Each structure stands twice: as structure tokens, then as C-alpha cells.
Amino acid sequence: MMTSLLDQLYKALPVIAQTTGGFATVTDSGGRRLRTVDSSGREESQYDGQVYRLALDAMEKQMPVFGSSQLIGEAYAWALPIGEYVLSCSNVERVERDKNLLDALAKALPLVARVAGGEAVLFDEMGRRIKSVDYMGNDKETFIGKVSRAAQVAMEKQTPVIGESISVPGAMAVRIPIAKNYGFGFNNEVVVSQKHKLVEEMKKSQYARYDFNDIIERSENMQQCKNMAQYVAKSISSVLIYGETGTGKEMFAQAIHNASDRRAKPFIAINCSALPKSLIESNLFGYSDGAFTGAKKGGKPGIFESADHGTVFLDEISEMDMDLQVKLLRVIQEREVTRIGNTKPVPIDVRIICATNKNLRKMVEENTFREDLFYRINVVELKVPPLRNRLDDIPVLTNYFIKKYSMVLGKYIVDVSSQVLELFQSYSWPGNVRELQNCIESALNMASVDDSVLLVTHLPSQFHSRDAAPPINGRMIGLNLRDALKEAEKHIIATVLETEKNNRNRAARRLGISTTTLWRRMRELDMFQD
């Protein structure tokens, strides 16, 4: 009777093993393996005589038990006592196959990422990233352990999820479940980003990217500047934009072009300080065939010809050579341009916008800039205020750049501390908005992926010395940052007033603020004598 039962159990082993996707075993009452087969029905005799603890436990308890496989810890097994024998089965082969497939996918991720042109990832049953590589095949540890909602949905529904990328417009992301406990995904964000960048670079020389909506402001003086620029945009008159480095002069020039009737025509910019005289001349006016050694066969039109019916933006006009100033004056007066090496003028219709960070009136007085050219380009004068004179704009600009670089750098900064804003509003910002932008980018590089608030400790080195209370008038003030900044400002104003013999107009100019602002700050700091 028992022999018949054992024979029946032996016959059942291949069917059970194949169904479960692993090994099926019959043991005696002591848990010793009598026969083991794999999912293909092949006998695994090397396990004969080994004690299977799960089967022994089932025999002792005289009830079915469930637990981990003795061969592979990640696999599950069950054991069922039947008379003097125990029938057991595990899913070790299925687990082994899944593990091998997972390892193969992990090795293939760099290839997938490179072909897709983006990031490739592996995730677990919860949608948590367990491995990630970039399009160059380099491991990315930044988001390991982070849950992707798309991956989570794919694993819950056990179906691929395809949709648009949340970080790069136009990019696509795919999440595919491979087994119950893992899946993989990829996107083409890098390829799409590179295409966007290429398009932008191609547009940069002949098209204006910015409009007035891109100029962020809240301060009254910046609003006045923006309103004036919007008002003159419809005109055809030349505009001269004054502003320190980094204030956004070219952004204003592009916005004026895009708000004008010329917006469908080229916007071409050239930096007069970035190129030598010979290159600027050939770029501005063009040249004829054989005009000079290395000249392109057939010649080449200059910026003025290429921008016909559009706008030419001459940045750093103060750096233009005096000889070129004469030629530029003729172009503006005659509305025609003559290529180098030719005598035939070409009629043009362009609007000229110039920008400078220097005082052109003073340069005219010093005979370093032509007076007649100055009056030709200075039909409309637009002065862009420095960042230190638009303190109300600092919080909104800070938040704008935080959002921008949080997305770019993969950080989750959503707020900025009051201490940081106080430091920003007391800093002189010699590099203006461009310096603030670089400062935020630097700070976000220093923040960890777990940080949600921008702190003073994240800021670049020029702000670190402001953390501690400085000595004011030979004494140490308290550690309250707000009080420290007020005391420091009070000390600076008092020192400048003393140097300028209490002349508030000269002191205000030296401090880079208006006389009204100086008076207001002195009143707020209680600096007036009774």
C-alpha cells in the first residue's frame, strides 16, 4: 500500500514542478529527500538523502507549512505531509529565471539608455528605483529609492504605461512591468533636450527668444522701465539701452523686437567687444568676392543686409572702434550699406537697438565716442536699473530661479528661508540678475535631494561670512541675523556720510542708491540726531 502511494507521488512530481515553476520533492518521515525533479521533469539526484527542513517541520506538525526555499532564499516553498511521506515544491526556477532576467536587464540598461537617448531605470513592485543609468551609461544614484508614480501604476496594473515626460516638453517616458516584483523603463529626454537646445542655438543669432512676459518685475522702477520699453516698441526709432552687466539689456532688446511690427523678421545681435575690429566690420557690412585673403567665394552679406526689415542689436556699443563708428553713422543716416571691397551701396531697412554699460555722454566729452553717432542711436534712452535698486524684485526672481534649477538639477527645493532673502536684499549684486541666477544655481548644487528649503549654508562663499555676527564699531553684536544686518548697514552709511562730510547727495551716489532711499533708510535705522 505504501509502495503504491510512493509510486503515485513520484508520478505526480513532474506535473507539480512544471505547474509551480520550480523543484518538486518527496521526502521520508525524517525529511530526507527520496526524489527531486525540476520543472522539465528531469531528476535532480544530487539532492537525494539531503534533509529538507521544511518537509521535516511539516511531518512533525502533521500539517501543511509554507516558507522559504532551502536552495534560494528569495524563493517560496510549501510542504504537505501525506502518510509516511512529505510532498514539497518550490518556485526556485521561476525565481532564478526572474533573477537572471533582472541581471540581464541591469546589464542592458546602458544600451537601452543610449539607444533611447535618455535615462533607463529598473524599479521594484512599489515603483521604487533600484537602478538607473544616464544616456552615457553612467550609474545615477541621485533618485535611487524614489518612487515613480508612473512605474507604480504600471506595476499595479501589470501593463505598460506610456506618456509624456514631466521634465522635458515633447519627451516620452515608458514604464514596463517584467515580473510581479520588478519592471524597467526609459525616456528620450536627453535627445529631445539636445534638439531643443540646437533649435534655440539656431534661433539665437537671427530670432528673438524673449518677450515682455519673460521680464520678471515687481519693483516700481523696473515696472516704469518695462512700461516705457513696451510703449516705444511700436516705433521705428533707434533705442539706446543703459544698464550694468547682467541687468538684462539684451532681454529688453529682444522683447522690444517681439512687440514691434518687425517681429516676423530677423533679430540679429552682435557684441562689439567680443570680436576684433576686422571681424566686426565684415560681420556688420559684409564683403565682396576677393575683398581679402580667405574671403568666401561670391562674398557674404553682413548683418545689416541679413536683418533687412528686422532689428540689429549692437551690444557694448561703447567698445566699437572710432573708424567703425563713422561707417555705422553712414549706414544709419543713408539707410544703405556698402560691402567691404565694393562701391555699390545696398538699401536696407533696419531698426537699430544699442546697449552699453558705460556713460556714453561722458565718453563723448572725452572724445572717445562720436557725438554725431551718439545722437543718432540715442533717440530713445532706456535705463535698466541695477538689482540693488530693485529690492522688491529679489524674492520673486529668487523663487523663479529656484523653480528653474530645481527641475534642471533634480532637486526638490520649494521655498527659501527668510535669512537668505535678508542676505540677498543687503548684498550689492555687482553682477546683477545674472549673478543672482548663478548664485541660485550654485546653491542648488550644494543642496541635497532631501532638502526642501534653500538655506544660508547652501549659498556661495561670498555669503558665508555674513552668517556670523560681525564686529560693529569695535564690539560684537548678538547672533540675530536681522539685527546684525541692520547694524552693518547703519555702520556703512555712517562711514560714507563721514567720508563725504555729511553730503547726502554724494553719499547716496557712492552707496549706489537714490537720495530718497538714503533718507528713508537713515530714518528706519534711527540715524537722525534729535
Side-chain angles (χ1 to χ4, degrees):
M1 179 67 180
M2 290 300 133
T3 302
S4 177
L5 174 60
L6 185 58
D7 288 340
Q8 291 179 7
L9 291 176
Y10 283 169
K11 290 178 181 179
L13 285 183
V15 177
I16 296 173
Q18 184 177 13
T19 303
T20 310
F23 289 178
T25 301
V26 173
T27 70
D28 62 16
S29 59
R32 285 180 291 273
R33 292 178 186 259
L34 301 175
R35 181 175 293 180
T36 302
V37 300
D38 63 17
S39 59
S40 66
R42 184 179 60 228
E43 189 171 343
E44 301 286 347
S45 57
Q46 69 269 26
Y47 298 117
D48 291 353
Q50 293 184 7
V51 175
Y52 191 7
R53 290 190 297 272
L54 193 69
L56 181 61
D57 187 34
M59 178 59 76
E60 291 175 349
K61 293 179 178 178
Q62 280 297 298
M63 62 180 294
V65 295
F66 178 83
S68 298
S69 166
Q70 193 166 305
L71 300 179
I72 299 178
E74 298 90 343
Y76 294 111
W78 52 261
L80 175 66
I82 302 175
E84 296 181 8
Y85 305 100
V86 179
L87 178 64
S88 304
C89 193
S90 68
N91 63 345
V92 291
E93 287 185 288
R94 181 176 296 172
V95 170
E96 187 69 26
R97 284 196 301 270
D98 288 348
K99 187 175 182 299
N100 290 339
L101 181 56
L102 182 62
D103 291 341
L105 282 173
K107 292 177 182 178
L109 282 188
L111 297 177
V112 174
R114 184 167 298 182
V115 171
E119 184 184 26
V121 300
L122 288 174
F123 47 84
D124 63 16
E125 66 274 10
M126 301 300 295
R128 256 189 315 263
R129 292 191 182 200
I130 54 179
K131 186 174 179 60
S132 174
V133 298
D134 62 21
Y135 79 108
M136 293 297 291
N138 301 314
D139 286 339
K140 291 182 65 176
E141 303 292 336
T142 308
F143 297 115
I144 297 300
K146 297 289 184 180
V147 174
S148 163
R149 178 56 185 161
Q152 195 175 48
V153 171
M155 294 306 293
E156 288 174 355
K157 296 183 177 181
Q158 282 295 294
T159 184
V161 174
I162 304 173
E164 293 185 0
S165 166
I166 61 173
S167 56
V168 178
M172 299 297 291
V174 181
R175 299 293 181 266
I176 304 172
I178 300 299
K180 288 289 185 181
N181 57 338
Y182 68 86
F184 91 105
F186 56 87
N187 60 52
N188 63 343
E189 291 179 354
V190 174
V191 167
V192 174
S193 295
Q194 290 174 340
K195 287 181 180 179
H196 288 337
K197 185 176 181 181
L198 179 60
V199 170
E200 291 302 318
E201 288 298 321
M202 291 174 64
K203 289 181 178 179
K204 188 178 295 183
S205 63
Q206 294 198 1
Y207 297 95
R209 295 175 292 162
Y210 300 109
D211 56 35
F212 285 112
N213 291 327
D214 295 310
I215 299 176
I216 299 171
E217 42 68 32
R218 186 169 290 171
S219 61
E220 183 178 352
N221 52 357
M222 193 62 174
Q223 287 175 355
Q224 292 174 350
C225 179
K226 185 174 175 180
N227 291 339
M228 181 179 178
Q230 290 173 315
Y231 184 75
V232 304
K234 297 295 183 181
S235 169
I236 62 171
S237 300
S238 299
V239 179
L240 178 59
I241 305 175
Y242 280 100
E244 297 178 5
T245 300
T247 51
K249 298 186 292 294
E250 182 167 356
M251 182 177 283
F252 267 96
Q254 292 188 17
I256 290 172
H257 172 81
N258 279 331
S260 74
D261 295 333
R262 299 171 181 262
R263 57 184 170 272
K265 298 298 181 178
F267 173 92
I268 302 182
I270 186 170
N271 190 316
C272 299
S273 67
L275 297 173
K277 172 187 172 183
S278 58
L279 288 181
I280 291 180
E281 185 172 7
S282 61
N283 273 274
L284 284 176
F285 311 118
Y287 56 83
S288 299
D289 189 4
F292 50 82
T293 303
K296 184 180 179 181
K297 187 176 181 180
K300 183 181 179 181
I303 284 175
F304 287 107
E305 286 184 69
S306 301
D308 195 28
H309 295 95
T311 303
V312 170
F313 175 57
L314 302 176
D315 198 8
E316 304 298 346
I317 186 69
S318 59
E319 306 305 311
M320 179 175 283
D321 183 87
M322 292 291 279
D323 292 338
L324 290 183
Q325 291 182 31
V326 175
K327 295 185 177 182
L328 176 60
L329 177 63
R330 179 175 177 79
V331 170
I332 298 174
Q333 288 177 330
E334 305 299 331
R335 295 290 175 178
E336 59 184 27
V337 63
T338 303
R339 294 189 185 186
I340 299 172
N342 203 333
T343 58
K344 183 180 179 180
V346 178
I348 57 167
D349 174 19
V350 297
R351 183 182 195 177
I352 295 177
I353 302 178
C354 300
T356 180
N357 60 3
K358 293 185 178 179
N359 188 334
L360 289 190
R361 293 182 185 275
K362 186 176 181 180
M363 291 183 68
V364 169
E365 294 173 2
E366 296 171 349
N367 294 319
T368 56
F369 196 87
R370 291 187 62 92
E371 184 176 15
D372 45 7
L373 178 60
F374 171 72
Y375 289 115
R376 282 291 182 179
I377 63 176
N378 194 40
V379 178
V380 176
E381 185 175 286
L382 188 67
K383 292 186 177 181
V384 183
L387 187 56
R388 62 180 174 274
N389 288 351
R390 33 185 300 215
L391 298 182
D392 291 343
D393 294 339
I394 289 179
V396 65
L397 285 168
T398 298
N399 284 311
Y400 171 79
F401 290 130
I402 285 176
K403 290 180 181 178
K404 175 181 178 180
Y405 288 110
S406 287
M407 180 177 293
V408 172
L409 300 175
K411 300 297 174 70
Y412 293 90
I413 302 295
V414 296
D415 200 2
V416 56
S417 72
S418 59
Q419 291 85 355
V420 168
L421 289 179
E422 286 176 356
L423 281 175
F424 281 0
Q425 291 184 313
S426 66
Y427 182 60
S428 61
W429 297 109
N432 293 289
V433 178
R434 187 178 300 135
E435 183 183 4
L436 174 61
Q437 179 178 350
N438 293 342
C439 173
I440 298 299
E441 182 178 4
S442 172
L444 261 65
N445 272 289
M446 295 299 104
S448 72
V449 293
D450 297 321
D451 290 328
S452 60
V453 179
L454 191 69
L455 304 174
V456 174
T457 53
H458 299 143
L459 300 182
S461 57
Q462 66 263 38
F463 295 96
H464 290 175
S465 60
R466 294 165 175 254
D467 295 346
I472 303 295
N473 293 330
R475 63 185 178 86
M476 291 296 294
I477 64 175
L479 294 179
N480 182 281
L481 184 59
R482 187 186 301 274
D483 293 338
L485 292 173
K486 285 184 177 180
E487 287 293 326
E489 184 180 6
K490 187 174 181 179
H491 177 65
I492 292 169
I493 291 174
T495 301
V496 173
L497 282 170
E498 183 179 359
T499 302
E500 297 296 340
K501 298 180 180 179
N502 286 321
N503 186 308
R504 291 182 192 166
N505 290 329
R506 290 201 302 267
R509 283 197 298 271
R510 185 166 178 178
L511 290 166
I513 58 178
S514 67
T515 306
T516 302
T517 301
L518 174 60
W519 180 88
R520 177 172 55 81
R521 289 305 296 153
M522 290 177 66
R523 184 180 182 87
E524 291 171 351
L525 295 169
D526 196 24
M527 294 182 65
F528 289 102
Q529 299 292 330
D530 294 332

